[in-house]
């Protein structure tokens, strides 16, 4: 459900020229969700292992670079 919404948002952003047309919205949305799931798992296993806000900022920057036109 969340992946489907993210996929739709990526397709809409592609239509507006905000996301690289070579990006596959299905794969990009699945990859982003998998990355978030992995980070959450790491946080729950070892809460003090990293700064959550710094990791969130890094995640956003990385995703933006990966889908930029």
């Amino acid at each position: 459900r969340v992946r489907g919404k993210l996929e739709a948002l990526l397709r809409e952003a592609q239509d507006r020229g905000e996301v690289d047309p070579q990006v596959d919205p299905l794969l990009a949305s699945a990859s982003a969700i998998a990355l978030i799931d992995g980070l959450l798992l790491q946080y729950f296993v070892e809460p003090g292992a990293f700064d959550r806000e710094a990791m969130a900022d890094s995640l956003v920057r990385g995703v933006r670079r990966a889908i930029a036109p």
Side-chain angles (χ1 to χ4, degrees):
R1 186 174 158 172
V2 171
R3 188 203 40 80
K5 289 182 180 182
L6 181 54
E7 180 184 353
L9 288 171
L10 287 169
R11 289 187 192 285
E12 292 169 11
Q14 278 180 322
D15 291 343
R16 292 189 304 270
E18 298 170 352
V19 170
D20 185 336
Q22 298 297 316
V23 168
D24 181 327
L26 173 64
L27 295 177
S29 60
S31 297
I33 297 299
L35 181 57
I36 292 166
D37 286 349
L39 290 172
L40 287 172
L41 178 62
Q42 288 182 53
Y43 179 75
F44 289 127
V45 169
E46 191 176 353
F50 55 84
D51 179 329
R52 288 181 308 177
E53 289 185 31
M55 185 58 70
D57 289 342
S58 177
L59 173 65
V60 169
R61 282 192 311 274
V63 169
R64 284 184 175 160
R65 275 193 297 259
I67 65 173

